[in-house]
Structure formats: structure tokens, C-alpha cells
Amino acid sequence: MDGAMGLLGGGGGGGSSGGSTDGSMSTVSKAEVVEQDYVGLMSEVSSYPAEAELELGLGLSLGGAMKAKPCAWREYGRILTAKDFPSVVSRGSSASSSSSSGRGTSTTAITGTKRTADTVAQDVGHANGASQVVGWPPIRAYRINSLASQVKASTAEEDDHSIFGNDKNKNSAKKDTNNSNNKNNSNIQEKGCRRSSLFVKVNMDGVPIGRKVDLNAHSCYESLAQTLEDMFHRPTTTVNANRSSGEKEHNLMVEAAKSSRLLDGSSEFVLTYEDKEGDWMLVGDVPWGMFLNTVKRLRIMRTSEANGLAPRFQERDQRQTPAPRLRGSKPI
Amino acid sequence: MAYSFPEEVLEHVFSFIHSDKDRNAVSLVCKSWYEIERWCRRRIFVGNCYAVSPRIVIRRFPEVRSVSLKGKPHFADFNLVPEGWGGYVYPWISAMAEAYPWLEELRLKRMVVTDEALELISRSFKNFSALVLSSCEGFTTDGLAAIAANCRNLKELDLRECDVDDRSGNWLSHFPESCTSLVSLSFSCLEGEVSFSALERLVSRCTNLRALRLNHSVPLDKLPNLLRRAPQLVDLGMGAYTAELRPELYSRLGNAFAGCKGLKSLSGFWDVVPSYLPATYSVCAGITFLNLSYATIQSPDLIKLIRQCRNLQRLWVLDYIEDSGLNALAASCKDLEELRVFPSDPFGQEANVSLTEQGLVSVSEGCPKLQSVLYFCRQMTNAALFTIARNRPNMTRFRLCIIEPRTPDYLTLQPLDAGFGAIVEHCKDLRRLSLSGLLTDLVFEYIGTHAQKLEMLSVAFAGESDLGLHHVLSGCKSLRKLEIRDCPFGDKALFVNASKLETMRSLWMSSCSVSFGACKLLGQKMPRLNVEVIDERAPPDLRPESEPIERLYVYRTIAGPRLDMPGFVWTMGDEKSATEFS
């Protein structure tokens, strides 16, 4: 079979002969070309009539069953963190009855995130540097995390020392590292916040497919929670490129424009994490920097399963030390 | 004319033929050669685990001893393939457990490996000797413990950049005291601690150990003892290379290294304290591979170390080396064949180090054997690329990553089409190329015209229209793998070159302009391709057909559409193919 035969009837070479930059193959004329060549295949030029009513199955069910499963997620499916607990269990139960399985009409449209190449180009062009784009620069997560943990070890150590006044780091070699790294890499730290990726796995109960989230793209629990809501509700390929309302000098910070519904709403889900010692903790207990230092992975857990994690603590503001271990009694 | 060559003779002759390509050619000569060859083939390599099924492989090659499998597409390394896409090895293991009881070697890359799979491996193959897992995930140290405990003749256990759930360090203790067969043990990607005493005993009794790559939990003060027990080491991956400055440790380390006269490869170097580097100097003259890509040390220290390694052939390093370090490299290491420079601060807005295109030019001038380059930088010029191309027509792998997408030549502000054009024009043996910077359709015309040996091309944020993709698909005769992200390429080039896709292993396109309708048509018309639409939004048939999909993965296959897809992957033309292959 002649390798040059394409799917189009005749003239497999199409508009490629000769001119390279004249309009024959440009995207401007593509629409016409498409219409001629898609014999029998109507290309719908109109844009998103159905999207407003599109009901997003969110992948909670797989395959064909996804068709009509709506998700009133945005209203009901907020992720709880530790902050919610003192006030709220009753709100959680009333919400859970109407979440996830109903065919509610309060659907959530996909809000204008048609990911054409043009849109992507704009995002990248306007974004503050390469850091906004998933998978770019093309460096394996393993390598990024390794670098991050070396730099992070030195900065987090300083945090720990200042806040808690004790050395929570068990590995004395690591401690020496920090001293020597500080000397050797001081020029790095002078230049301000170094942003590298720290991807951790996120699984949500009831969703077979896990995701990964870059914790270093956030500076606070609110923005992380917002991202997770989006991710498990309406995942896109670029990380919050559209939502960056508060870009400042730290290019990876995504500031939540308002207090995230994550933390003040009610939900049948709770955000938890597994720490380095293998315990599952509620997210939100500890200072952000300390959380970064100890988190291994996240899990969006059903509230019903998270009962054992309800912390026993007083008002958050008064707390100077991290919350006690929730299972087991190892001091920090 | 009677054909009277006995089969045994032919088989004996074939036993000297090892390369897959040659064996494939042999099997096409005639039916009897096909038959003889398939019974004596011992190694198979499957570049895409979905291109063929275990059943088909086993049916054709009944006496295999070594299997290599690759799963996910390359861009999975950069989080572009959602978790759960596929690449499960268990079905292969389960089929081979019955069919290949004498299997010895398994090499897996980008596959999902579970503890169940590892346990099954450890119980099913009595002569199992080598397990190499690269960029794999899905297993824990419990699975490793099963391998250690049950594989009596294990020679090689290599974990390279795997994502392992580290439950405890005890897996190492599962090697029985009777195990003395290890030749290669590599666990640098594990995060947790291992039992030192178990490690030391293991190293002591495995006198054939040639390669040992530790993880960063092994502290520096344990290293001298390990090295003294294994002076025959050829490949060493150190753990954390850091400690308080203690003269006694330094001299023990120096003596230990001096005892390893055969050392050729050094890696690890996490958390490096420069003062300890000179302890390695005694072996540096023999070192051919130096992996400093995790070493956050500065250029002056790097230069001192590199100057000791006069016979260096491969260097992986962070961009802390800077142009000055690369100049020193070019002056000292005339045997250099491969250079990889990784970014120390990939997400920073500005350059944190003084590494520019000059460093690469310098190495291309000073190192006549340089043929493989991976270079992350923030600026480039067409002139530099011209120079590199003219200096090194022997280049076979050239991957340039300018960190900011669409960066032009910083002197002329022009696209880098001409520079990359020079690369493909001068480097006639180029097999692998990765592009970056500002690029129009013109660069693809150059590539399609000149890159006749190119097998793998990676493209990001480049091109202007379908013409670019068309140039590549219609021009590059040897193309096997094409991966594209964020380029304005769409349907037309795919249709026109549809049959080209059957000559390639795979095509990946994400965040481009390929419509769902085009994918459906492609899938229907090309039954020997799996056209996978990977889209995490709602099912694509709920959307307008002209709307672009998120990701497209097309690969040739004789196994038909796969059956293990998650909810966000659809194979196009499925209904038709399903009946054909049922």
C-alpha cells in the first residue's frame, strides 16, 4: 500500500505542495477545508449550546453511565478540613442526602474553558513564566521532588526551629546537611522563594482514579482546597491557569479570591493526609510549612469514615503546638 | 533443489544472532526459517504493551527467557497522562507464569506493577534472575520483600526512578542468608530507611556484586564499611554524601574508595558537602559515568571534581556547573560522549545561574565524541545552534529545553527554525530530537526534509498550522515516536498521513486542535490503530464534534482495542474493531 494515501479521497498532498506560509493550510481557512473534506461529517460550527446544561459526571461512575450524572458538587460537595469540625456536623448530614446521586438541576456548567490551542497559547503567553503549565519544563517528578526535598529541608528546618524551638528532625545527618547547605547555597536562598513542584497523590473515596497535586503551587490551605475541589469536579489540563486572580511576585501562588467554600461549607467529604509516620490526619491543623514537610499523600475521605479523626482541640488561635496525634500517642 | 540443511544447524547459527531486527529479518526468509527462529528466540522486546497481547506473544515464541515491556507513553513522565490510564503488567505476568516457567529476566518501563504481580513473579519462575523496573509505580516494599525472599538465583534487582510505597526497611532483610548471587542491587528511588546490618551482610556475602546504588537514607559514615566489603564494585550510587566535617571519616572514606580500583560509575551525591568530594579523587581517573544531577554544589567544586575525571564519557549535572564549568569540562574530558544538564530552579522566573548557550557550544567544540545532549537553559541563538551543528555532525541525540516556552533567538529575536534546521541538516545520524523555543512551521519543513534517520521527535509550543505536522509525518522516513503538546496542529495533517501512523509505534498529541470527529473517523478507517481519546471532561460524544479533545494517543496494534481502559479513555472506532477481533 502506498504510504502516501491518506483518508481524503484524492490528492493526499492537499495544500502542502509549494508554499509553506501562504494561507492554504492556515487555520483561518481550516474551517472551509474541513467542511469540504469531511464528506458526510457535519462539523458543528456553533459553539457551546449544550454546555450550559452539560451535567458533569465527574468520573464518579465510569464509562457510559457518565452520561447524565450531574453533580451538584459545587454546592454540596465541599471538602471539610479541621476548621469545620467545631461548628458542624449537622450541616454535613443534611447535605449528604442530596449530593452526588441526585439528578438535580443545579448543575455546574463548564465555565468557558474551551482548551483550544489558542486559548492555551494565551494562557502561556500571559502567565508568569513556565510554572503555570502542567508538565513543563519536562522534568520527571522524581527529579523535581528530589531537588525540592533538598532545598525544602534547609528552609523548613529554619521554620521548625523558630516556631517550635525543638528539632523535630530525627536524622542528624540531615541536620548537618542543612547547616552546610545553608552555607553553600546561601546565594540560592537570598534570591527569594524557590518554587519547585511537590506532587503528592490525591485519592477521593468512591473515585477509582487518583490524581496528583502540586503542593508547592499553593501557599495556604484555602487555595489547595479550592484546587482539589476543581480537580475532582472539573479537572483541566493546566493548573488553575484561568483562575489566577491574584498573581504577585511569587509566580506560583494562587490566591483564593474569597474564603474557599471548602472550609466553611458542609460536605460529606473531609480532606485528610498521611504523614511521614503513617498516620492519617485532618488537613488544616498545623502551619502550612510544617504540613508541607510532613505530608506524604492526601485523601478526600467520606465524613462518615473520618469520625476517628475529629481532633480534640481548643480554639485554633490559641494553639501554639501542633494538634496531638489522633491515633496513637507519639509526641511530635 | 532440495533444502537439506538440518534444523539443528540453522538453530545453532541463529543462536549467534541477537538483535531483534536481525531476528525479525531471519524469520521472514521462508516458513521453515520462521518456525525455527521462533522456537529459539529467547529475548523479546515489546515497545508498547498494548501493541500486542500476551497470548499472541506466547503463541509465537514459546521458549522465551527474557522479556522487556514498556507501558505508558513518554509524556507520562511529566504528568501529562492521568493516573489510571493503564499499563498494567499483571496480565502479562499471569500469562507468562503458565507459559514461561523458565523465564529469567523481566525489564519493565512505565508500567503499573502491583505487589500481587511481584509476588506472582517471585513464585512462578524458578530461574528468575533479573528484575529491572524503570519509572514504574503501584507497588510497595512488601512486593520487594517477596522478590528478595523467593527468588533463589536473583542476580539483578534494579529500581530506577520508581514510585514505591515504602512501608518499611525490612524488605532487604528478606534476602535469605543463602543468597550470594546478587550482581546488581539498585534502590536509589526508595524513600525509607533500610536495615544497615542486613545491607552490610548482604554486600559481604555477594562477592559478585558489581553495581550497588543506595538511597539517600544511607548515611555517609556507613559507606566506608560497605565499600571495604565490596572492592570489586564497578557502579556505585552513594546515599547521602553529607556529614559533619570529621577528618577521621574523611580518611576512612578516602581509603575505602582507593580500594575500589574498578569503579567506573558514580552517582547519588545527595546533599553533598563539597569538602568530602576529594575523598573520591583516587578513583576518578577510571570513572566513565558521573551522575551529579542531584548534587547541589557550585561550579568551582564541580570543576575540581570533573578535572579529576579525565576519562569521563557521560556526565549528568545540574546547571550549577555554569558556562565556566562546561568550559573546564570541554578542556578536560576529551572522551565525553553524553552530557545532560538539568535545571536547578526550573520554575524560577529568571536565571539563577550563569549557564547560557555558550557552555554547550564550548563542549561541542572541545569534545569530539559528543553525540548525546540534554540541555536545559534559558536562552539560545540560531548562531549557537549552527556552531554546534557544524562542530558535531556525529550528534545522535539532541534535546534542547529552553525553559520559557516560545523563547526566540535572544540576539535577533527571530524564531529558532534555522538553528534547529542546521542541526538536522548537519547531523545526518540524528535519531532523537526535542525542540523548544520560538518555532514556526518552517522548522518542521527542515526536519521533514533532512531528518531521515530521526526516530523520536518531541515538540512543545511550536508551529503555526497543520502544515508543520504534515511536514514531519510525510517526511521523516524513520519516525517511530512522535509526541506533541500545545501546538496548533489539527485534523488535516492526521487524515492526510493516516497510513504513516501504522509505520510508527505511537503518536501523542495533547492540548492541540484535534477534533473529536476526526478521531472517530481515524479510528473507524484505521482498524490496525488504536485511537485513544483521553479526556477528563465529560464524554466527548456529549460535546460538539468539532471541539478539540484534550489528549490523543494513537498506536499501532495487532491486539485490537484494549479492555482495561478507565472512564476517561475512549478507543475510537471501537464497535467496528471489536467485531473484527472478537
Side-chain angles (χ1 to χ4, degrees):
Chain A
M1 195 72 166
D2 185 352
M5 286 296 288
L7 286 186
L8 303 180
S16 67
S17 57
S20 53
T21 52
D22 62 14
S24 62
M25 293 291 291
S26 73
T27 49
V28 171
S29 59
K30 203 166 90 152
E32 292 106 35
V33 175
V34 161
E35 298 228 10
Q36 285 163 19
D37 293 331
Y38 274 64
V39 177
L41 188 74
M42 289 307 296
S43 59
E44 296 169 41
V45 179
S46 64
S47 356
Y48 332 102
E51 280 194 11
E53 293 100 39
L54 225 146
E55 295 174 345
L56 190 55
L58 220 217
L60 286 175
S61 55
L62 301 182
M66 270 180 79
K67 283 207 163 77
K69 281 269 172 86
C71 194
W73 229 87
R74 196 166 276 288
E75 293 173 10
Y76 299 111
R78 264 170 253 54
I79 302 173
L80 286 179
T81 63
K83 281 185 184 166
D84 299 305
F85 273 97
S87 40
V88 166
V89 175
S90 51
R91 268 203 279 161
S93 54
S94 66
S96 64
S97 59
S98 49
S99 67
S100 85
S101 56
R103 289 196 64 154
T105 52
S106 56
T107 56
T108 47
I110 300 157
T111 51
T113 54
K114 179 173 191 287
R115 303 305 303 172
T116 59
D118 288 339
T119 314
V120 172
Q122 283 167 16
D123 284 339
V124 172
H126 294 138
N128 292 344
S131 51
Q132 298 265 330
V133 182
V134 167
W136 190 266
I139 304 168
R140 287 181 176 167
Y142 172 75
R143 187 170 290 282
I144 291 173
N145 288 347
S146 279
L147 273 182
S149 62
Q150 288 186 72
V151 174
K152 199 177 61 168
S154 40
T155 53
E157 267 290 297
E158 292 169 1
D159 290 344
D160 295 340
H161 276 125
S162 60
I163 295 173
F164 300 111
N166 61 331
D167 180 9
K168 88 183 275 288
N169 199 320
K170 296 171 202 154
N171 188 343
S172 59
K174 215 169 173 201
K175 191 170 117 185
D176 294 326
T177 302
N178 300 327
N179 295 335
S180 46
N181 262 0
N182 285 343
K183 289 194 207 94
N184 293 326
N185 300 330
S186 56
N187 60 326
I188 296 171
Q189 290 168 18
E190 275 162 18
K191 291 199 174 175
C193 221
R194 289 292 142 191
R195 294 292 183 183
S196 45
S197 290
L198 178 60
F199 279 96
V200 296
K201 289 191 178 176
V202 190
N203 285 87
M204 178 167 159
D205 284 359
V207 179
I209 310 302
R211 301 297 305 276
K212 281 188 179 171
V213 65
D214 178 6
L215 293 182
N216 276 348
H218 302 279
S219 56
C220 60
Y221 289 114
E222 283 78 6
S223 77
L224 171 64
Q226 194 71 58
T227 296
L228 290 177
E229 271 194 36
D230 287 348
M231 193 181 272
F232 283 89
H233 169 65
R234 174 178 58 80
T236 59
T237 53
T238 57
V239 180
N240 293 326
N242 297 331
R243 298 181 50 254
S244 46
S245 48
E247 298 292 336
K248 294 194 182 140
E249 62 275 12
H250 298 299
N251 48 332
L252 277 178
M253 253 191 232
V254 177
E255 294 197 15
K258 53 190 180 304
S259 155
S260 162
R261 292 188 226 139
L262 246 199
L263 304 172
D264 60 17
S266 62
S267 170
E268 66 170 285
F269 291 98
V270 187
L271 182 58
T272 65
Y273 70 102
E274 183 183 11
D275 70 8
K276 284 197 166 130
E277 295 176 12
D279 295 325
W280 286 93
M281 314 277 280
L282 277 178
V283 165
D285 267 1
V286 303
W288 177 255
M290 188 180 165
F291 167 69
L292 286 187
N293 205 29
T294 190
V295 60
K296 268 176 40 176
R297 57 181 159 169
L298 300 171
R299 179 175 159 201
I300 301 171
M301 199 184 282
R302 291 191 203 286
T303 310
S304 50
E305 287 190 33
N307 284 333
L309 297 188
R312 307 174 299 271
F313 63 95
Q314 321 94 333
E315 199 48 46
R316 281 183 67 76
D317 299 324
Q318 295 172 0
R319 209 173 344 117
Q320 296 299 320
T321 54
R325 287 280 173 216
L326 303 174
R327 292 175 180 156
S329 55
K330 279 176 280 189
I332 295 194
Chain B
M1 182 170 178
Y3 191 64
S4 56
F5 228 27
E7 276 188 21
E8 295 81 9
V9 175
L10 276 175
E11 193 174 319
H12 181 70
V13 172
F14 293 170
S15 70
F16 294 100
I17 300 174
H18 301 296
S19 99
D20 285 336
K21 272 176 118 182
D22 291 341
R23 280 201 161 249
N24 291 344
V26 160
S27 66
L28 290 175
V29 168
C30 64
K31 277 193 179 149
S32 70
W33 280 39
Y34 175 91
E35 279 297 310
I36 297 167
E37 193 282 320
R38 77 181 186 91
W39 278 93
C40 68
R41 188 168 319 199
R42 298 281 177 263
R43 312 183 143 265
I44 36 176
F45 168 78
V46 179
N48 173 6
C49 65
Y50 291 119
V52 71
S53 71
R55 191 178 53 83
I56 294 173
V57 172
I58 290 168
R59 191 177 61 194
R60 179 171 171 192
F61 300 113
E63 296 282 345
V64 163
R65 300 279 184 273
S66 164
V67 173
S68 300
L69 289 173
K70 290 188 176 181
K72 301 184 205 174
H74 173 238
F75 272 178
D77 285 352
F78 316 127
N79 293 312
L80 290 180
V81 178
E83 294 225 358
W85 171 82
Y88 306 104
V89 80
Y90 193 87
W92 287 85
I93 306 297
S94 144
M96 293 191 295
E98 287 184 32
Y100 295 152
W102 303 112
L103 188 73
E104 294 169 13
E105 301 180 351
L106 202 49
R107 294 186 165 78
L108 307 177
K109 187 164 186 179
R110 280 189 213 101
M111 296 201 79
V112 178
V113 181
T114 57
D115 284 347
E116 288 73 27
L118 291 175
E119 278 154 25
L120 188 56
I121 291 170
S122 75
R123 289 194 316 266
S124 308
F125 309 115
K126 300 289 169 251
N127 277 356
F128 196 71
S129 65
L131 181 65
V132 179
L133 304 178
S134 305
S135 302
C136 293
E137 58 168 359
F139 59 103
T140 78
T141 43
D142 292 348
L144 297 178
I147 296 284
N150 300 333
C151 298
R152 293 299 154 94
N153 295 316
L154 196 67
K155 294 202 179 104
E156 193 173 343
L157 178 59
D158 279 350
L159 307 174
R160 300 175 187 167
E161 296 186 347
C162 293
D163 188 358
V164 186
D165 193 352
D166 203 319
R167 300 245 167 107
S168 78
N170 287 336
W171 65 274
L172 207 60
S173 317
H174 286 253
F175 280 106
E177 291 300 316
S178 56
C179 169
T180 57
S181 48
L182 277 180
V183 172
S184 172
L185 177 65
S186 170
F187 56 92
S188 49
C189 56
L190 293 186
E191 287 174 0
E193 297 184 356
V194 293
S195 153
F196 300 134
S197 55
L199 179 61
E200 278 182 0
R201 286 199 310 275
L202 185 62
V203 169
S204 293
R205 62 181 186 268
C206 294
T207 52
N208 288 326
L209 195 67
R210 292 275 176 278
L212 177 66
R213 293 194 181 190
L214 310 167
N215 70 349
H216 65 80
S217 78
V218 179
L220 191 58
D221 56 9
K222 297 290 184 193
L223 195 56
N225 280 348
L226 281 175
L227 291 182
R228 277 209 322 273
R229 286 167 165 74
Q232 74 283 3
L233 276 181
V234 169
D235 180 334
L236 173 66
M238 294 177 279
Y241 204 73
T242 181
E244 290 163 338
L245 300 175
R246 289 150 44 192
E248 152 269 333
L249 173 57
Y250 180 89
S251 71
R252 279 201 302 133
L253 202 54
N255 290 337
F257 270 112
C260 295
K261 301 193 193 307
L263 213 50
K264 290 211 171 321
S265 165
L266 276 182
S267 58
F269 290 107
W270 279 285
D271 301 330
V272 167
V273 170
S275 318
Y276 276 107
L277 284 176
T280 65
Y281 284 1
S282 58
V283 292
C284 283
I287 295 295
T288 56
F289 175 44
L290 191 56
N291 183 354
L292 290 164
S293 60
Y294 299 102
T296 53
I297 52 176
Q298 303 302 308
S299 186
D301 297 309
L302 286 167
I303 291 175
K304 281 194 217 128
L305 180 60
I306 286 168
R307 283 214 173 108
Q308 300 286 324
C309 303
R310 293 180 312 269
N311 290 313
L312 199 60
Q313 292 171 9
R314 298 165 60 209
L315 175 66
W316 295 14
V317 72
L318 285 172
D319 58 9
Y320 291 131
I321 193 171
E322 299 191 323
D323 289 343
S324 57
L326 292 176
N327 290 337
L329 177 68
S332 309
C333 303
K334 295 304 183 183
D335 282 343
L336 194 72
E337 296 174 11
E338 175 178 325
L339 174 66
R340 297 194 190 188
V341 179
F342 295 95
S344 54
D345 180 32
F347 305 104
Q349 273 283 69
E350 295 147 11
N352 59 322
V353 293
S354 174
L355 179 102
T356 69
E357 76 280 8
Q358 281 314 307
L360 186 56
V361 170
S362 190
V363 178
S364 78
E365 275 165 5
C367 301
K369 298 188 190 171
L370 185 71
Q371 47 168 289
S372 173
V373 167
L374 169 62
Y375 199 74
F376 283 82
C377 61
R378 291 176 190 271
Q379 63 182 50
M380 187 51 60
T381 62
N382 282 308
L385 287 171
F386 274 125
T387 307
I388 293 165
R390 278 197 307 265
N391 286 340
R392 295 275 64 81
N394 51 327
M395 190 78 71
T396 56
R397 293 180 206 82
F398 189 74
R399 293 190 279 165
L400 180 67
C401 179
I402 304 167
I403 289 179
E404 182 65 34
R406 300 198 184 86
T407 303
D409 176 324
Y410 74 94
L411 291 179
T412 65
L413 299 184
Q414 293 300 301
L416 291 171
D417 300 332
F420 280 106
I423 294 279
V424 293
E425 196 181 330
H426 289 270
C427 307
K428 300 200 189 305
D429 290 326
L430 195 70
R431 295 199 307 269
R432 184 167 181 185
L433 178 64
S434 296
L435 305 174
S436 58
L438 182 65
L439 296 165
T440 70
D441 284 345
L442 198 51
V443 72
F444 299 107
E445 189 177 341
Y446 294 144
I447 292 172
T449 306
H450 295 287
Q452 295 308 304
K453 298 257 181 80
L454 191 67
E455 296 178 8
M456 181 168 179
L457 178 64
S458 308
V459 185
F461 305 105
E464 299 160 306
S465 76
D466 270 346
L467 196 54
L469 179 57
H470 172 67
H471 282 311
V472 171
L473 287 177
S474 60
C476 297
K477 283 208 297 272
S478 310
L479 195 64
R480 291 189 301 116
K481 291 181 279 186
L482 178 57
E483 48 186 24
I484 300 171
R485 61 164 297 174
D486 294 277
C487 296
F489 299 149
D491 307 339
K492 179 116 169 122
L494 287 178
F495 286 138
V496 169
N497 297 285
S499 52
K500 169 76 172 179
L501 299 177
E502 283 186 353
T503 69
M504 294 165 52
R505 182 187 295 173
S506 65
L507 166 68
W508 169 277
M509 293 177 72
S510 56
S511 303
C512 296
S513 306
V514 181
S515 73
F516 179 60
C519 295
K520 279 207 309 195
L521 200 54
L522 196 63
Q524 284 159 12
K525 297 289 184 191
M526 309 292 295
R528 287 187 302 226
L529 296 178
N530 274 356
V531 177
E532 289 190 8
V533 170
I534 301 165
D535 201 315
E536 290 176 291
R537 303 168 297 182
D541 49 5
L542 295 187
R543 300 161 160 267
E545 285 209 342
S546 57
E547 187 172 310
I549 55 169
E550 281 184 348
R551 307 171 190 88
L552 170 70
Y553 185 45
V554 181
Y555 53 91
R556 65 180 175 190
T557 179
I558 57 173
R562 58 185 178 112
L563 304 170
D564 60 358
M565 293 179 298
F568 52 85
V569 179
W570 294 268
T571 300
M572 302 292 103
D574 200 341
E575 314 76 48
K576 183 165 187 280
S577 317
T579 51
E580 273 192 276
F581 289 95
S582 60

